[in-house]
Amino acid sequence: HLCETTCIRTHLDQPLAIRDMKRFIMSHEAWPRVPERTAGITAKVAIIGAGPAGIAAAQDLALAGASVTVFEAHPYPGGMVGGAIPAYRLPQKQIDQDMAILDELGVEIRYGQTAGEDFTLEDLRKDGYEQIFVAVGAQLPKYLGVEGEDSEGVIDALRFLRSVREENPIPVGPRVGVIGAGDTAMDCARSAWRVGATDVAIIYRRTIDQMPADREEVDACIEEGITIEELANPHALHTEDGKLAGLIATRTEYRGDRDASGRKIPHDVDDSEFEIPLDTLILAISQHSMLDFFGDETPALTRRGYIEVDPVTLESSIPGVYAGGDVAAEGPSSIVKAAADGQRAAAAMVAAAMSAAIHEPTAVIPTTDDLPNLVMRRAHREYRVPVKHTPLTVRNNFNETILTYTTAEAQAEASRCVDCDTICSLCVGVCPNLALMTYQTDPFTVDLPSFLVEGGTLVEHSRVPFRVDQPYQIAVLSDFCNECGNCVTACPTSGEPYRDKPRLYLNQEEFDAESSNAFMVRRDGDATVVLSKFDGATHRLSINGTVEYTSPAVTATFDRNFDLASAAPGPSVSDGDAVLLDAAATMFAVWKGLHGSMPQVPLATDTGTRIGPPAYAETQ
């Protein structure tokens, strides 16, 4: 539930419980609910792996009309989700719901088909599959590299978790150690306790606060009586007659240095060796992928050994072969990312089949007429509705431990939303110099003509919609901005407001020094003039009843509603060049919002001072 970490309420009290509200909604959904098909392609697509990435890709491709076959090595779907995540966190019925949709869409799933053994990439091509999506995950364990790892009692995490999920758990003794600190390690420890271990310890060379596992998983381990052996670095195994007897470790300590990611580096403490007696040791260190099914067509790999893919389409270095989820890019991540990869790859494959560009869906921006109430809600702390858990006394089984919201709880939690999709403005609140400001604008939509230059004139080629939907926008008064970066830190998206938002300049010299995203508003007789920089060129918009636009590429005139009246090519274009008017529309939209809602913004002047008088031009 990575979305919760960027929720604006994080800065006020606690983030909205988005995951739990979604869970409540889905618990009341009728299944299978099959979306409407959206396109009509005839591509034949093979998907290797029925995990989150493969399932997501299969659904979107089938909805687009493709013939989809999924090849899965195991006798059941879900990948790591279906085979390794314990049932107390994810019941089988939830996976069955997703698979029911694929059944309705006619997706074929061939179980017991292992890539590299039962088929190769070349086999799929010979069978007529035009596009292939590799979503095999990362299911090969990594080991400590010490003597005795092949002893009885040492098992890898995924093998153990699969045995538990298949209701045939590998026997463990009363004393179980787990090496690792991610969610997989937490799953192993909690599952070992549920299958009979009485003394379970997670062994970690750093401290609890440095664990990458979800905090609620760590807390659940502690609540269930699992020991977390901090600052313990495994060094060797104690075995007797081929069986594990214990783990030999040394104590570690922090000495103030950090690695490239900023994490504290643990150092071994001299003469601190000790032994942890164990019957079973579960290795939950990390995983890597088996990529032996490519044959002679080996794809390019990343520095970490995963498939290198195009960041937009997820296509590998092999044409027509895409990859996503744990097998691609930086390797194992989250279920959410894997599913997103599947959708992105499907979109790219559909676009390729239709010889079309990939378009992001247009967001529907809601509006509110109750801004004062929204501001009031943001001014009060209101902590999230707690999620109920099953009592510890009845938790020694694989029934769900986290319960679903009731209707009243879900509605109460949803009411905490502060509508950041309508107005965010966190960057405005954290700017120490008040350089960022929120202005309001009316919705603005216009179909802009795009032109080609033919014989020294402009010939309309197509129409391109230009829209400003969101009523509240941000601008930067650059004279006040010292680029401290506060707005970047507070931005709930990946934006950099002081760089991304329109930058307003009052000083001509500073404006002239910029190459792009620079705006200046000034008076010229009875007209208001908006100057802007785009890609190193200066654009001019003169507003005085009509709107006159001049750029190196085009001279155009618009009426007060920004409908085009005339256009002629500028000096920098020649026959065959494309000419667009989106820069003019951007300048007009910025001026329109500032003129209507921010009359206090000063105009640029020629007086030599940095700040002009606090008055805004009135336009006929």
Side-chain angles (χ1 to χ4, degrees):
H1 48 298
L2 305 179
C3 51
E4 293 184 12
T5 62
T6 56
C7 173
I8 281 181
R9 287 216 76 106
T10 303
H11 301 271
L12 307 177
D13 35 56
Q14 290 177 303
L16 211 62
I18 301 171
R19 180 187 63 177
D20 295 292
M21 286 187 293
K22 284 185 176 181
R23 179 183 178 186
F24 167 81
I25 293 168
M26 298 311 294
S27 70
H28 289 73
E29 185 61 83
W31 290 88
R33 181 181 177 185
V34 181
E36 294 183 8
R37 296 179 186 269
T38 56
I41 65 172
T42 58
K44 186 177 180 181
V45 182
I47 296 176
I48 308 176
I55 291 172
Q59 177 172 311
D60 283 8
L61 286 164
L63 285 170
S67 173
V68 183
T69 304
V70 181
F71 297 84
E72 169 56 45
H74 293 92
Y76 49 81
M80 283 283 290
V81 174
I85 294 181
Y88 63 80
R89 286 216 290 139
L90 182 64
Q92 183 61 38
K93 66 178 182 179
Q94 309 299 337
I95 300 172
D96 294 341
Q97 286 179 343
D98 282 343
M99 302 312 298
I101 295 177
L102 296 190
D103 288 341
E104 290 289 324
L105 290 172
V107 174
E108 179 187 4
I109 303 181
R110 299 181 186 176
Y111 295 108
Q113 295 290 301
T114 302
E117 295 180 11
D118 300 296
F119 65 91
T120 64
L121 205 64
E122 185 59 30
D123 292 335
L124 295 179
R125 286 213 175 97
K126 288 179 180 178
D127 289 341
Y129 292 102
E130 303 158 48
Q131 295 166 316
I132 300 168
F133 180 48
V134 179
V136 296
Q139 303 193 32
L140 294 178
K142 292 184 179 180
Y143 294 93
L144 292 172
V146 299
E147 186 178 350
E149 282 187 301
D150 57 349
S151 301
E152 182 181 338
V154 181
I155 53 180
D156 72 81
L158 299 189
R159 178 169 164 245
F160 173 68
L161 290 175
R162 279 200 179 275
S163 74
V164 172
R165 185 83 195 200
E166 293 169 2
E167 299 183 355
N168 185 27
I170 296 172
V172 296
R175 302 170 302 178
V176 175
V178 179
I179 298 179
D183 288 334
T184 299
M186 307 301 126
D187 287 342
C188 289
R190 297 179 68 188
S191 295
W193 176 65
R194 282 165 169 77
V195 297
T198 56
D199 183 6
V200 183
I202 297 171
I203 301 154
Y204 186 43
R205 62 195 184 106
R206 290 185 169 94
T207 47
I208 290 179
D209 62 294
Q210 298 289 301
M211 282 184 159
D214 194 284
R215 184 52 46 190
E216 66 181 344
E217 290 298 308
V218 178
D219 292 343
C221 283
I222 295 172
E223 184 181 25
E224 292 173 3
I226 293 164
T227 301
I228 298 182
E229 190 72 54
E230 300 177 278
L231 299 173
N233 189 18
H235 275 284
L237 298 178
H238 174 195
T239 61
E240 295 178 358
D241 299 325
K243 291 185 178 182
L244 178 72
L247 174 70
I248 299 171
T250 58
R251 287 297 176 194
T252 61
E253 64 181 4
Y254 296 136
R255 296 174 184 171
D257 52 339
R258 295 176 181 266
D259 61 20
S261 67
R263 299 177 73 194
K264 298 176 182 178
I265 299 176
H267 297 270
D268 287 346
V269 177
D270 293 339
D271 302 321
S272 63
E273 190 174 282
F274 67 104
E275 180 173 344
I276 303 173
L278 295 174
D279 301 295
T280 304
L281 179 64
I282 302 174
L283 303 178
I285 305 168
S286 186
Q287 304 94 39
H288 59 94
S289 301
M290 177 67 77
L291 302 174
D292 60 350
F293 54 89
F294 282 96
D296 295 331
E297 296 182 278
T298 305
L301 302 180
T302 66
R303 56 184 175 79
R304 299 184 61 188
Y306 302 101
I307 299 176
E308 186 176 285
V309 294
D310 181 279
V312 176
T313 65
L314 300 188
E315 189 171 17
S316 72
S317 60
I318 303 174
V321 177
Y322 301 76
D326 289 354
V327 73
E330 293 302 309
S333 181
S334 65
I335 297 171
V336 171
K337 179 186 176 299
D341 280 0
Q343 292 188 307
R344 289 169 60 200
M349 286 185 271
V350 171
M354 299 178 69
S355 298
I358 302 173
H359 295 287
E360 292 293 329
T362 301
V364 177
I365 305 295
T367 60
T368 179
D369 295 324
D370 194 9
L371 185 58
N373 178 57
L374 189 152
V375 173
M376 285 296 294
R377 282 192 284 130
R378 290 191 183 185
H380 292 82
R381 282 199 175 98
E382 185 179 349
Y383 293 95
R384 69 196 298 174
V385 176
V387 178
K388 295 184 177 66
H389 294 70
T390 57
L392 191 60
T393 54
V394 296
R395 212 182 290 179
N396 58 342
N397 53 53
F398 287 89
N399 295 331
E400 283 184 277
T401 59
I402 301 176
L403 305 180
T404 307
Y405 275 150
T406 65
T407 299
E409 290 170 339
Q411 291 175 340
E413 180 61 20
S415 70
R416 297 179 61 241
C417 178
V418 291
D419 297 321
C420 61
D421 54 340
T422 299
I423 179 171
C424 172
S425 294
L426 278 185
C427 54
V428 175
V430 301
C431 180
N433 296 342
L434 304 181
L436 284 92
M437 54 190 181
T438 302
Y439 66 94
Q440 188 172 358
T441 186
D442 294 328
F444 174 54
T445 303
V446 61
D447 283 334
L448 295 175
S450 65
F451 300 99
L452 290 177
V453 182
E454 295 182 5
T457 62
L458 296 180
V459 177
E460 185 173 325
H461 177 260
S462 62
R463 290 263 169 174
V464 180
F466 181 92
R467 301 173 59 90
V468 177
D469 292 319
Q470 191 155 331
Y472 299 101
Q473 302 285 335
I474 303 295
V476 185
L477 200 57
S478 61
D479 291 68
F480 295 162
C481 178
N482 63 1
E483 302 186 356
C484 65
N486 275 11
C487 58
V488 179
T489 302
C491 185
T493 72
S494 58
E496 297 184 345
Y498 78 95
R499 296 180 189 269
D500 303 336
K501 304 302 181 183
R503 293 175 61 86
L504 306 180
Y505 287 80
L506 303 177
N507 181 274
Q508 185 70 49
E509 184 178 346
E510 291 190 0
F511 174 82
D512 291 339
E514 296 300 317
S515 61
S516 197
N517 191 27
F519 296 82
M520 176 179 281
V521 183
R522 61 191 315 156
R523 292 289 290 173
D524 185 3
D526 293 333
T528 299
V529 175
V530 181
L531 299 175
S532 186
K533 290 287 191 74
F534 294 97
D535 298 323
T538 300
H539 298 238
R540 187 178 192 272
L541 205 68
S542 178
I543 306 165
N544 187 12
T546 59
V547 180
E548 297 178 358
Y549 170 63
T550 305
S551 77
V554 63
T555 299
T557 302
F558 304 84
D559 64 18
R560 62 172 61 242
N561 297 318
F562 209 73
D563 291 323
L564 183 66
S566 64
S572 70
V573 295
S574 56
D575 279 4
D577 288 347
V579 175
L580 303 176
L581 296 172
D582 53 336
T586 299
M587 296 167 69
F588 183 77
V590 170
W591 168 82
K592 190 169 179 283
L594 293 173
H595 173 70
S597 67
M598 298 291 287
Q600 70 273 24
V601 175
L603 293 172
T605 68
D606 293 320
T607 61
T609 59
R610 295 285 298 278
I611 301 176
Y616 209 89
E618 289 294 332
T619 303
Q620 298 294 326

